Every structure is written in C-alpha cells, then in structure tokens.
C-alpha cells in the first residue's frame, strides 16, 4: 500500500494560511497599513474601490525595500521584525509573523512598487495566486505602493460569501478607526470609490478623535490618566449623555495596538453604574502602556486578543481611573445643600398660596382617532381570533419563524378572522376588562385564555405603521422649532443623513445642510415635538448603520422603525383603563399585531389549559 501523507504545495499552504489572515477586504487593509507604519511612514493613502473587491491600494512614504527584500517579503514566515523565539515576548511592531503578504498574494493579484531613499531605481513585482509574474526595475517615489486587485479571484466560494458593499465598507472603516486612533502623528488620506472619506493631518489624540467621530463628541470627552508600576493609563471617556446602544465607539489599545478585551470593558462600564439608562453603552478611547514582556499578543492570527499577566490588578486600576475622572469633572450628579431654593420666591405675610389647577378632559381618547382625524374602526369580534373552538389552534395565529416577520406570506391577516364594526360610535367591548402588570404589561381575557401584551412594543408597532403611512404618502406635518438645533456629524453620520434626508423631510422633519459637516434641524414631525431632536437622530443613525441594503422600501422601513422606537412610550408608564383599552384596540387594527417591525414579540396567549394545569 502506498504512502498517503504528502506535503502541501506552497500555493495550497498559502491559501490555507490566507483563510486565517485574510478573512475579508478589511483584513488586507489592516495588514498593508500596519506594514506601512512599521516602515516608518508619516503619510499613508488608502484607496478602495467596490468595497475592496476590485482594488485595495496603500501608498506610503516609508523606508521602502531593496529588490531582494521586496521579493522575499512574499515568502511565508519572512519577516524583519523577529529573529529568535524570545523576541515573541517583547513585540513592539505591528506585524511580526511574516504571513500577511504571502497570504494576500495567494488569493489576489498583487502589484508592489517600492524604493529606498538610497536607491536610484525602485522595484516592481507582479504576483497572482502566489506565482511571480514579473519583477523589474522602475522609476518610483521613496516608499511603498501596494495594489491588491480582484480579491479571492481564484477562490470563488470565498468571494461569493462576502457581504454587501455597505457591510464590507463598514468593516474597512472599523479597521481604519483602530489604526488612525493609535497613530495621530501620521497623516492619513482614505478614498472610497473616488470620494475622500477622511483627510487627517498630524495632530494630537484629542483632535484625532474629534476629526474622526465629530465635533459634538469632542466637547463631551473626559480625560483619564494614571501611572503605576504595573500599567500607565491615558485616554478619554465620554460623558453619560453621549452613550449609545451599540459598542462601536469603545476602543482599547495596548502599546499602540488595538485589542479586544471584554474583561477590561467590564471595568469601564461598571464605573458608569447607575449613570446610564438600561441598554446604553459608554464611549471610550483608552490607551494602556505595559512592559511588552508582560503580555502575549501571539494567541490569535489577527493579534487583537491579548493576554496580560496582572489582569485583576489592571482591572481595579482601570475601574478606579474612570470613576475618578467622572467624579472629578462633575459627571456624577450631586446635591447642593447650600443653595437657597427660595431665592426666586418673594413671599410676604399677606401672600396667599394657592395650589396649581390642572384642566383635564376626562373623555379625551388619544387612540380613538385615525391619523386623518376620523374615528378608528376596531375589530368587533377580535376575541374569536384566539378562540380554540373556531377550529384554529393558538399557534395558527402566530407568525411562523422567518428572517422577515413582515413577509406578507407569513403575516396574519386580520380581515380573514374578524369583522369590523362600522358604527362610528363603537368604542370596543364595554365588558372587556384590562389589568396592568408592573406598569409594563397589559392583561386581558379571551375566550381561550388570557392575553399578555407588552405595552411599549404595542405602542411601537402602532407608531411604526403610522410613520410608514407617512413615508408612503409624504403626509408629514412639521412642528417648527423656535431655536433650530445645529448638529456636527462624523463622515459616516454625514453620509447616512444625506442618504435619508429626503425621506425625513417628507414626513415632517426640516433638515438643512449649513456646512460641510453641519446640519440644522429646524423642525420635527408633530408626533415627536416633545422629544430631543438630537436623540432622535442618534437613534436613527444606530438603526441605519446596522442595515446591509439600500433598497428604498427597506430604507423607509428602517426610518419608520427608528422613529417608532423614539416615539413609543417608555416602560413603566401607568395607564388608565380607557388608555389600555384603546391601546389594545388600536394594536388590533395594525396589519401585524403579534410582532414589532424588527421581529420582537408583542403579545402572548396563555391558554386556559395552561392556567388550570398550575392548580392540578
């Protein structure tokens, strides 16, 4: 029997290595820019086309390479960073494994042009799928110019599973953020599809954060700084009012290298205890300096997961540093017992104090009318929808599992199960009773058991359908602001707002661009008039940044979802009986009352048999 174990060819071995190092276009950007930084570059240009599928180009003014070094750089494990195993425990450069260029060249067409300052001519090398096509001397500027074309051209399966351009661009931007924040003294120019995304000059770290993430964040950063024998910590944390629902602006760096560290993240977030609403996350930019021999960065191909010797001690130091910074800059609310709270109340011995009088219309019903002002039709026999005696099981009325709960094929059709009452004076079943639980849930009975409704999600669904109708009919009513709100946006936020500004202005917003990165909000929809316009826009950015499609219908859907979340009542609001009743009947009039627009369940039916089983 012949031997079956064989050595893989260099081409196959490089493709396997590329699977770890080159996961997507952003991986190529990371490796090439880090090589430029290691080469001492003070100016780096990054040019991207078609989200990196067509072209990734990185041009720097670094040291450059000799013809021999240029050719050797594409060999596996060829590196100038380390020479012995002990060097792995004192890494100070960004790259060191010598896998990046070999991996990139294995899955793309690569052109390298490089020249050292002492050389008259540079070198140009063309490689495709690990095969050297040509190498020749050329006239070139000092530094290195990498062009990576047709990524994954020889691995169609990998190219097929790349995400949409919007998602891939977001990953590239994330990598750019991590790099530019650790190298504020380096000038960067980033171009996406012939449009300049970033033009960053050498500056300090505070200015770099402001130029990347916007001026509004700049005014709400609190500096932190502490020096110990174990670790030196510096950087900035944002004030609680700048919190956000995602964690996209949480950055840890150790020895100027980005790292992902959930344990240290907990140290920071716990310092914000009771300062942030539930579900909100702080923004922070924290730089750690430690002895390189006390960390291990060689545990993951991307070098973002790092092990520390004294993690628990660093956790305590970091937590204390953030708490001290928040306290020092009066971020933590305090009570003053010295302030004269009656200074504006001029009482005399003859002053008559009367309690304020509030006028209330007890018959006012906020859910009784449609958006056009007419009385709303409500289901007369809605209870039959959940009656097991009608031949329909309870599960028949639940949405089947689907990636898109709005799919018409899966959505519940109310009209097929209930009748509508045409009498304009009809206001629901007067015998129906409602109970509020924990100011969060509404309980009511049905023929087959009990209905439990999440009141905030119900209201969110109602508002979602309201805003969708406004988007479809362009029927928004503007509530003008007495003092227009001026907002300064980051490049990503600017692009998002421009993309949706037309739609927003048709439903009641009045947003005007007054500068390159400045916008004026002069009005908002009447339904949102009492809310913070800045918070509404921030919620919109978060919702839109998670999308992966620019289809108009889905764009409108994202806008309606975001505005509905902003307009929906908060959890913990006490409701009167008539308010619960009308919220319920308005929900029943929605096209889908089981799920919110983003797929969260609104109501649950507890069958009478389930209740009776508890007493057996």
């Amino acid at each position: 029997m012949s031997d079956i174990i064989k050595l893989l060819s260099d081409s196959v071995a490089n493709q396997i290595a590329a699977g770890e190092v080159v996961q997507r276009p952003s991986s190529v950007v990371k490796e090439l820019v880090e090589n430029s930084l290691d080469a001492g570059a003070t100016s780096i240009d990054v040019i991207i086309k078609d989200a990196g599928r067509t072209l990734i180009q990185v041009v720097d003014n670094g040291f450059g390479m000799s013809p021999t070094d240029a050719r050797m750089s594409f060999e596996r494990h060829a590196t100038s960073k380390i020479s012995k195993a002990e060097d792995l425990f004192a890494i100070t450069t960004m790259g060191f494994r010598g896998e990046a260029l070999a991996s990139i060249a294995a899955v793309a067409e690569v052109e390298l042009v490089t020249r050292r300052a002492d050389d008259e001519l540079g070198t140009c090398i063309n490689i495709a799928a690990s095969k050297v096509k040509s190498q020749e001397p050329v006239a070139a500027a000092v530094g290195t110019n990498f062009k990576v074309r047709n990524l994954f051209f020889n691995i169609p399966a990998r190219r097929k599973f790349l995400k949409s351009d919007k998602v891939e661009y977001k990953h590239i931007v994330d990598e750019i953020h991590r790099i530019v924040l650790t190298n504020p003294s380096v000038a960067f120019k980033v171009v996406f599809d012939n449009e300049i995304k970033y033009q960053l000059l050498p500056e300090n770290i505070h200015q770099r954060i402001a130029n990347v993430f916007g001026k509004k964040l700049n005014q709400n950063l609190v500096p932190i700084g502490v020096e110990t024998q174990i670790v030196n910590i510096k950087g900035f944390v944002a004030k609680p009012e700048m919190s956000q629902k995602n964690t996209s602006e949480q950055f840890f760096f150790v020895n100027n290298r980005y790292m992902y560290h959930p344990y240290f993240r907990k140290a920071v977030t716990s310092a914000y205890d009771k300062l942030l609403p539930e579900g909100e996350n702080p923004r922070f930019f924290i730089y750690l300096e430690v002895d390189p021999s006390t960390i291990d960065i060689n545990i993951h191909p991307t070098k973002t997961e790092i092990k520390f010797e004294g993690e628990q001690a660093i956790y305590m130091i970091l937590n204390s540093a953030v708490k001290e910074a928040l306290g020092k800059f009066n971020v933590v609310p305090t009570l003053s017992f010295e302030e004269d709270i009656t200074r504006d109340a001029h009482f005399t011995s003859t002053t008559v104090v009367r309690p304020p009088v509030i006028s209330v219309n007890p018959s006012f019903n906020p859910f009784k009318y449609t958006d056009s002002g007419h009385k709303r039709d409500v289901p007369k026999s809605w209870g039959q929808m959940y009656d097991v005696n009608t031949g329909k099981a309870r599960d028949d009325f639940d949405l089947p599992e689907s990636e898109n709960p709005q799919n018409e094929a899966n959505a519940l059709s109310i009209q097929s199960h209930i009748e509508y009452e045409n009498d304009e004076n009809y206001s629901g079943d007067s015998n129906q009773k409602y109970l509020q639980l924990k100011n969060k849930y509404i309980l009511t009975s049905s023929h087959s058991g009990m209905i439990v409704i999440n009141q905030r999600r119900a209201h969110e669904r109602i508002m979602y359908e309201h805003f969708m109708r406004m988007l479809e009919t362009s029927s928004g009513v503007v509530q003008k602001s007495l003092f227009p709100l001026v907002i300064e946006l980051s490049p990503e936020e600017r692009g998002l707002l421009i993309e949706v500004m037309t739609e927003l202005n048709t439903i009641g917003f009045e947003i005007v661009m007054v500068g390159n990165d400045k916008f004026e909000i002069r009005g908002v929809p009447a339904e949102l008039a009492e809310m913070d316009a800045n918070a509404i826009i921030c919620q919109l950015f978060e919702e839109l940044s998670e999308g992966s499609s620019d289809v108009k219908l889905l764009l409108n859907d994202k806008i309606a979802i975001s505005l509905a979340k902003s307009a929906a009542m908060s959890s913990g609001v006490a409701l009167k009986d008539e308010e619960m009743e009308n919220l319920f009947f308005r929900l029943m009039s929605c096209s889908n009352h089981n799920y919110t627009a983003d797929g969260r369940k609104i109501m649950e039916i507890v069958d009478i048999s389930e209740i009776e089983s508890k007493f057996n």
Side-chain angles (χ1 to χ4, degrees):
M1 185 176 178
S2 61
D3 298 331
I4 61 174
I5 297 179
K6 301 178 180 66
L7 286 175
L8 291 172
S9 67
D10 288 342
S11 177
V12 175
N14 284 338
Q15 287 190 18
I16 293 173
E20 294 183 338
V21 179
V22 185
Q23 299 173 353
R24 59 194 336 143
S26 61
S27 306
V28 177
V29 174
K30 173 183 182 294
E31 298 293 347
L32 294 183
V33 175
E34 286 183 350
N35 282 346
S36 296
L37 293 169
D38 286 340
T42 59
S43 177
I44 301 174
D45 291 353
V46 180
I47 302 166
I48 309 293
K49 290 187 178 179
D50 298 327
R53 291 176 172 83
T54 302
L55 174 68
I56 299 172
Q57 183 177 6
V58 176
V59 184
D60 68 62
N61 64 348
F63 302 142
M65 290 181 280
S66 68
T68 302
D69 284 346
R71 177 64 187 84
M72 281 292 294
S73 66
F74 289 98
E75 297 295 329
R76 289 194 69 199
H77 307 304
T79 179
S80 62
K81 316 298 174 53
I82 63 174
S83 58
K84 55 185 183 296
E86 288 75 12
D87 293 342
L88 289 171
F89 301 99
I91 297 294
T92 57
T93 56
M94 299 304 294
F96 57 88
R97 285 198 179 102
E99 294 175 317
L101 296 186
S103 298
I104 294 170
V107 295
E109 298 171 350
V110 179
E111 177 184 290
L112 165 63
V113 178
T114 182
R115 180 171 80 86
R116 297 180 301 183
D118 296 336
D119 297 335
E120 292 185 3
L121 291 175
T123 299
C124 177
I125 298 178
N126 284 280
I127 299 179
S130 297
K131 294 181 181 180
V132 179
K133 301 296 184 180
S134 65
Q135 179 172 352
E136 55 188 6
V138 295
V142 175
T144 303
N145 184 343
F146 266 103
K147 292 181 181 178
V148 179
R149 294 188 174 92
N150 300 324
L151 187 63
F152 299 131
F153 78 98
N154 56 339
I155 312 178
R158 291 288 300 278
R159 191 176 179 92
K160 175 183 176 182
F161 283 100
L162 290 177
K163 304 296 184 182
S164 68
D165 283 1
K166 188 173 183 180
V167 172
E168 296 300 339
Y169 270 127
K170 185 178 186 304
H171 284 288
I172 293 172
V173 168
D174 288 343
E175 291 295 348
I176 295 294
H177 286 170
R178 297 167 184 177
I179 292 169
V180 301
L181 289 176
T182 51
N183 299 275
S185 61
V186 178
F188 286 91
K189 181 180 179 181
V190 181
V191 180
F192 287 171
D193 295 327
N194 300 319
E195 180 181 350
I196 297 178
K197 185 77 171 177
Y198 295 106
Q199 181 83 61
L200 302 172
L201 301 176
E203 54 201 344
N204 62 43
I205 187 59
H206 198 170
Q207 293 169 329
R208 178 59 58 89
I209 293 172
N211 286 329
V212 173
F213 295 103
K215 301 279 192 301
K216 64 179 180 181
L217 181 61
N218 177 43
Q219 300 170 355
N220 290 279
L221 291 177
V222 176
I224 64 171
V226 62
E227 296 184 3
T228 69
Q229 293 182 339
I230 300 174
V231 61
N232 294 336
I233 301 175
K234 62 181 180 180
F236 300 90
V237 294
K239 295 179 181 179
E241 54 265 34
M242 294 302 295
S243 64
Q244 56 184 16
K245 293 189 182 300
N246 59 50
T247 59
S248 61
E249 293 177 25
Q250 296 185 344
F251 294 91
F252 278 119
F253 305 96
V254 57
N255 296 350
N256 278 349
R257 178 191 300 278
Y258 171 80
M259 69 172 179
Y260 171 73
H261 209 294
Y263 186 55
F264 289 167
R265 178 184 176 276
K266 185 178 179 182
V268 176
T269 55
S270 63
Y272 281 82
D273 187 33
K274 297 181 181 178
L275 294 177
L276 299 177
E278 184 179 354
E280 296 285 315
N281 297 286
R283 303 179 182 185
F284 57 79
F285 310 83
I286 297 177
Y287 299 77
L288 309 180
E289 293 181 7
V290 299
D291 184 344
S293 64
T294 64
I295 59 175
D296 184 1
I297 63 179
N298 193 31
I299 60 175
H300 192 274
T302 62
K303 301 182 284 290
T304 57
E305 298 179 16
I306 299 176
K307 292 180 67 175
F308 288 75
E309 279 188 3
E311 283 191 345
Q312 291 185 343
I314 296 175
Y315 178 101
M316 298 301 296
I317 295 170
L318 179 60
N319 181 264
S320 298
V322 176
K323 284 184 176 179
E324 180 184 3
L326 295 176
K328 184 184 298 184
F329 287 86
N330 296 321
V331 174
V332 179
T334 58
L335 292 176
S336 174
F337 295 97
E338 298 177 357
E339 189 175 357
D340 182 10
I341 62 173
T342 64
R343 61 185 183 279
D344 292 328
H346 302 287
F347 292 105
T348 67
S349 58
T350 60
T351 300
V352 178
V353 180
R354 294 185 177 87
V357 178
I358 301 176
S359 299
V360 178
N361 179 6
S363 63
F364 175 70
N365 185 343
F367 301 108
K368 192 171 182 179
Y369 299 93
T370 64
D371 301 323
S372 59
H374 296 94
K375 287 198 172 184
R376 181 177 298 276
D377 291 336
V378 295
K380 183 176 182 179
S381 53
W382 58 264
Q384 295 177 5
M385 296 166 55
Y386 306 104
D387 189 354
V388 295
N389 296 324
T390 62
K392 296 281 188 179
R394 188 188 74 188
D395 292 340
D396 291 340
F397 297 101
D398 287 338
L399 273 171
E401 291 185 7
S402 170
E403 292 183 358
N404 181 13
Q406 286 299 105
N407 191 319
E408 290 185 3
N410 295 330
L412 176 64
S413 174
I414 294 181
Q415 286 84 352
S416 63
H417 297 288
I418 59 176
E419 298 176 357
Y420 280 82
E421 176 59 59
N422 295 321
D423 182 4
E424 290 189 352
N425 295 320
Y426 181 76
S427 61
D429 184 355
S430 60
N431 295 322
Q432 191 70 22
K433 301 300 180 183
Y434 300 89
L435 176 68
Q436 191 177 29
L437 178 63
K438 298 290 186 181
N439 287 347
K440 185 176 182 181
Y441 299 101
I442 296 173
L443 311 181
T444 190
S445 63
S446 72
H447 293 295
S448 60
M450 178 175 65
I451 304 175
V452 183
I453 300 170
N454 184 307
Q455 68 185 41
R456 172 176 167 78
R457 292 183 184 179
H459 194 212
E460 185 180 316
R461 180 74 209 189
I462 293 166
M463 297 308 299
Y464 164 79
E465 298 206 359
H466 168 72
F467 284 117
M468 279 298 289
R469 284 192 296 271
M470 291 173 64
L471 283 164
E472 292 166 358
T473 60
S474 301
S475 58
V477 178
V478 181
Q479 177 70 49
K480 289 277 190 177
S481 302
L482 184 60
F483 301 102
L485 173 66
V486 178
I487 55 176
E488 296 187 30
L489 305 179
S490 67
E492 289 83 14
E493 293 172 337
R494 176 181 177 275
L496 285 173
L497 187 54
I498 290 175
E499 183 181 358
V500 301
M501 198 158 66
T502 300
E503 283 77 14
L504 292 179
N505 285 342
T506 64
I507 63 173
F509 282 93
E510 186 175 336
I511 303 176
V512 179
M513 182 183 290
V514 293
N516 190 35
D517 295 319
K518 289 185 179 180
F519 295 79
E520 228 178 51
I521 303 178
R522 300 175 179 175
V524 297
E527 295 83 355
L528 304 174
E530 301 301 320
M531 300 189 61
D532 180 5
N534 194 41
I536 296 170
I537 296 298
C538 289
Q539 171 76 46
L540 182 65
F541 288 153
E542 290 183 15
E543 205 69 44
L544 292 175
S545 63
E546 296 174 0
S548 59
S549 175
D550 292 325
V551 178
K552 180 72 176 292
L553 177 61
L554 295 183
L555 185 61
N556 285 351
D557 193 63
K558 285 283 187 182
I559 294 172
I561 289 173
S562 174
L563 297 180
K565 288 181 177 179
S566 297
M569 69 174 71
S570 303
S571 294
V573 174
L575 300 178
K576 297 178 181 179
D577 289 346
E578 59 269 22
E579 291 174 327
M580 287 188 283
E581 178 185 15
N582 284 282
L583 182 68
F584 178 83
F585 278 99
R586 193 169 178 186
L587 174 64
M588 289 297 105
S589 298
C590 291
S591 62
N592 180 346
H593 52 263
N594 281 322
Y595 291 88
T596 62
D598 56 0
R600 290 169 293 135
K601 198 159 192 177
I602 297 175
M603 59 166 44
E604 178 67 33
I605 313 301
V606 182
D607 196 90
I608 188 64
S609 60
E610 295 180 44
I611 299 174
E612 291 177 344
S613 67
K614 303 296 182 182
F615 297 92
N616 291 337

